[in-house]
Amino acid sequence: MALMDMMRAVLEESGLLPLWNTLAPWLALDERQLIFVVATPVFIAVTLWEYLRIRHDPTRMDIPEALRNFALGAGYQLTELLFAGLIAFPVYAFLYHHRLLDLELNWATGLLTFVGVDFCFYWMHRSSHRIRWFWAAHVVHHSSERMNFSTAMRQNATNIFNGMWLFYVPLALIGFNPVWIGVAYALSLVYQFFIHTTLVGKLPGWVETVLNTPSHHRVHHGRNPGYIDRNYGGTLIVWDRLFGTFVAEDEQAPPDYGITRPIHSRNLLVLWTHEYVDLFRAMARPGGLQARLKHLWKPPEWDRDAD
């Protein structure tokens, strides 16, 4: 008996095979999490390499914060793994069932999937900076005042509940398979991990023209007036060039990392939720229902008193 047959026999005799057959479709969309699990040891190794290079510079590396960043990332991965199949996958599956086109998976459609996901990422990312409800989840990624590989792991465990995954559902309606949408998204995030660093300068011109690079992404994390809300691209920077949100890094004006209203808490729950708290406090102030609800979709800097 082959080893795989032996392993399957164990599963069948355990009585858990029906449970597994139920869970498998539920977890299907989260094939991307498998990619993150495989990539995490690489992320840790690269972070350790970076640490050896910048450990003596507290403006670039802080060990407690780096560990906190990985803890924030672990919380994000856990909630995505547990809830993406319950919340997002049924919507993707429904729209894919009613898809407009039947697209055979090949190199061409695989490339189109990746480009389509990157295009949707641009608009999702741009919206997460300009719509306060989405910013409430995304802000944790920007709240560090350091830029290193661990910053890439600084994610919000509330992302799956926040609804930003809705930006990708049109791809399923067109006819792109939701599992491959998830895989393309995961590969994009893996790429983006490597652009969170100060150790890589500007790359050759054609690379800087087409791809998102460490230089471009340092601008994105800057709170300098000229850098705020720029360079939203995921893997490609061409969307920013097309839609007028691109700014090149200026060596005479290095990025000042962080957010305009700093949060210096070390508590993971506070880091995940502080902007939601501020948002709901703003909505609780006296006023009509429509005026209160505006806080949800207006930009983070908007206030009723200034309207």
Side-chain angles (χ1 to χ4, degrees), residues 101-242:
L101 302 172
D102 287 316
L103 300 176
E104 179 184 353
L105 181 63
N106 52 43
W107 285 107
T109 56
L111 180 60
L112 281 175
T113 303
F114 191 86
V115 172
V117 166
D118 205 67
F119 177 75
C120 293
F121 179 91
Y122 170 85
W123 289 106
M124 179 277 293
H125 196 185
R126 185 168 177 171
S127 297
S128 72
H129 281 252
R130 303 309 302 147
I131 296 174
R132 192 170 182 185
W133 171 249
F134 294 139
W135 175 246
H138 187 57
V139 64
V140 66
H141 182 63
H142 283 266
S143 58
S144 173
E145 295 181 345
R146 296 173 181 84
M147 181 65 154
N148 53 57
F149 287 129
S150 78
T151 307
M153 304 299 293
R154 194 180 176 97
Q155 301 292 337
N156 202 317
T158 70
N159 276 11
I160 187 60
F161 310 108
N162 199 261
M164 288 186 282
W165 52 270
L166 289 168
F167 283 85
Y168 304 91
V169 296
L171 296 174
L173 181 59
I174 291 170
F176 293 99
N177 188 290
V179 172
W180 290 106
I181 293 170
V183 168
Y185 176 78
L187 292 176
S188 175
L189 291 190
V190 169
Y191 173 86
Q192 290 178 59
F193 173 87
F194 295 99
I195 60 177
H196 288 80
T197 184
T198 59
L199 292 180
V200 178
K202 290 193 176 182
L203 298 173
W206 71 268
V207 178
E208 297 283 337
T209 298
V210 177
L211 297 178
N212 198 5
T213 65
S215 176
H216 298 329
H217 206 59
R218 287 193 290 269
V219 167
H220 179 69
H221 276 261
R223 58 186 169 190
N224 317 44
Y227 289 170
I228 292 175
D229 294 340
R230 299 293 179 176
N231 298 1
Y232 296 114
T235 301
L236 304 174
I237 202 66
V238 293
W239 312 121
D240 289 281
R241 296 183 184 278
L242 283 172

Side-chain angles (χ1 to χ4, degrees), residues 5 57 60 69 73 134 146 191 249:
D5 293 332
D57 186 350
R60 293 200 288 175
N69 290 345
F134 294 139
R146 296 173 181 84
Y191 173 86
E249 185 178 27

